[in-house]
Amino acid sequence: MLSSSSCLTSSTPAFKLNKHQLFLHSRGFSAPLRFCHPGSKYQISRRGIALRGIVAAGITAMESASLAIKPVQGLEILTYKPEGYNFWNWRGHKIHYVEQGEGPPIVLVHGFGASAFHWRYNVPELAKKYKVYAIDLLGFGWSEKAIIDYDAIIWRDQVVDFINEIVKEPAVLVGNSLGGFTVLASAASLPEKVNGVVLLNSAGQFGDPNAKTEESEANILEKLIKPFKEIFQRVFLGFLFWQAKQPARVESVLKSVYINSSNVDDYLVESITQPASDPKAGEVYYRLMSRFMSNQRKYTLDSLLSQLSCPLLLLWGDLDPWVGPTKAMKIKEFYPNTTVVNLQAGHCPHDEVPELVNTALLDWLSSLNLEKSPLSTPVNVS
């Protein structure tokens, strides 16, 4: 058992962690892992960058094709279904989700441009002990490409209602990138129904005390240029969307954020490109980029963390070129009830080094004693 102030680092091929054998190599490269519990102290010089460049891996278009599926070292993989799995009607919109397994519930939320299929190596393993849900956020994946004004609150409300209407009992929320920010916001607004939160290279920013003055000045300028700005955005973002449709572009961007790119395969590329065949995908892309991305700074990590009341796990790819490990350390300093697992991986550790993520996640989940938790009893939803 590790003390609350311990930090375990290994450079050997494997080590024991609560009776789990963690192999620290993955598809041909060494991946040392540090398991740091609340109270540990160490310094990392790299600076985190919030939400930088995430849009580049976004929506693209490509017809369905046979997929060359290559399981990772024998791990089970979620079967790819071009038609999707389950659908839920939320506020008149069609929402896609995957459901597998039995036990205490876990809800997985993908990042920008991805879908439930991005959890392909995690769902089958977690479902051996837990009831796993992987949901597509509105506007992404197999969920409806709704023509609405997108805002972080839209996805927060979607996840909150999903817990109330579909899960119907307290759950652990897990999110990558944009999905991480979404589950954090959901947990902050629904504390009685969230047993824990897991963030994998989460999007979001800490508040800037000088932002208020700068924003007021920016608003004056924006009013003056707004008519020209919208025309320019339409043209410029239309070009970006056309460029992002190219499968080669998707593959290139993914390889830039997967330190070990052997998992950038046909399955992954197809799961990102197929949803954009929807005729509304271009308009959704424009709204996401021109409206949501410009106002996401209104919702800060510190404001959400100050409302959190459950255990927090950070599974962090330290080699992420977009969101570095400094952010994980800042989250841990702000919210002490945090466990940090550092991985030698990029922006999407759950798909790049799923063996390590699954093992660390299962170990942390077992420490929550969810089966014995009084919160695991069904909750009546009015």
Side-chain angles (χ1 to χ4, degrees), residues 112-357:
F112 193 99
S115 71
F117 289 109
H118 206 193
W119 304 99
R120 53 183 173 164
Y121 291 118
N122 314 109
V123 171
E125 188 67 21
L126 297 175
K128 294 176 181 177
K129 190 174 181 180
Y130 299 93
K131 188 163 189 177
V132 182
Y133 300 88
I135 185 173
D136 285 355
L137 296 176
L138 185 68
F140 294 111
W142 277 246
S143 287
E144 184 178 335
K145 306 301 176 288
I147 306 302
I148 62 171
D149 290 335
Y150 285 89
D151 189 282
I153 299 305
I154 292 292
W155 296 313
R156 179 204 67 183
D157 292 348
Q158 179 189 340
V159 172
V160 165
D161 289 346
F162 185 78
I163 295 171
N164 285 332
E165 298 178 21
I166 302 298
V167 181
K168 297 183 179 179
E169 59 179 309
V172 171
L173 307 183
V174 182
N176 168 239
S177 192
L178 173 63
F181 187 79
T182 299
V183 300
L184 187 61
S186 302
S189 64
L190 196 69
E192 71 278 8
K193 294 182 183 177
V194 178
N195 287 329
V197 172
V198 182
L199 305 180
L200 298 94
N201 295 65
S202 178
Q205 305 176 49
F206 280 89
D208 181 354
N210 300 318
K212 192 170 184 180
T213 302
E214 293 174 357
E215 186 174 350
S216 62
E217 294 173 354
N219 285 342
I220 295 174
L221 178 62
E222 186 163 338
K223 289 179 181 179
L224 295 175
I225 66 173
K226 185 177 180 180
F228 305 98
K229 180 181 176 182
E230 290 185 354
I231 295 172
F232 174 77
Q233 284 180 333
R234 281 283 179 185
V235 175
F236 180 67
L237 292 176
F239 171 76
L240 288 183
F241 180 68
W242 172 84
Q243 186 181 50
K245 288 180 180 182
Q246 313 309 314
R249 173 61 178 165
V250 176
E251 183 177 353
S252 175
V253 172
L254 289 170
K255 286 183 176 180
S256 74
V257 294
Y258 276 54
I259 303 307
N260 176 7
S261 60
S262 62
N263 276 359
V264 179
D265 55 15
D266 290 346
Y267 182 119
L268 179 59
V269 173
E270 175 74 359
S271 71
I272 294 173
T273 59
Q274 182 180 334
S277 61
D278 188 297
K280 297 179 181 178
E283 179 63 21
V284 170
Y285 183 83
Y286 168 75
R287 288 170 179 252
L288 285 169
M289 297 305 303
S290 63
R291 301 180 189 185
F292 168 71
M293 291 302 175
S294 64
N295 67 24
Q296 57 89 27
R297 66 178 179 269
K298 294 190 299 184
Y299 312 100
T300 63
L301 290 175
D302 41 314
S303 66
L304 296 178
L305 289 168
S306 65
Q307 302 173 60
L308 198 64
S309 58
C310 63
L312 175 64
L313 172 64
L314 305 182
L315 297 175
W316 218 264
D318 281 352
L319 305 180
D320 183 354
W322 293 342
V323 185
T326 302
K327 180 189 283 188
M329 293 304 96
K330 192 169 182 179
I331 291 173
K332 184 177 180 319
E333 291 172 4
F334 190 94
Y335 191 75
N337 191 14
T338 298
T339 300
V340 181
V341 177
N342 297 94
L343 299 161
Q344 294 296 294
H347 191 64
C348 308
H350 59 294
D351 192 60
E352 184 180 343
V353 288
E355 309 97 321
L356 303 183
V357 168

Side-chain angles (χ1 to χ4, degrees), residues 54-100:
I54 294 176
V55 298
I59 311 167
T60 55
M62 174 178 168
E63 295 299 323
S64 301
S66 59
L67 304 179
I69 299 174
K70 180 178 61 177
V72 177
Q73 293 188 353
L75 286 184
E76 293 182 44
I77 189 168
L78 178 68
T79 302
Y80 185 86
K81 293 185 178 181
E83 70 279 9
Y85 278 78
N86 307 292
F87 291 90
W88 163 57
N89 188 292
W90 178 67
R91 298 183 180 181
H93 302 300
K94 188 177 178 182
I95 301 298
H96 173 252
Y97 68 97
V98 175
E99 177 183 346
Q100 287 191 7

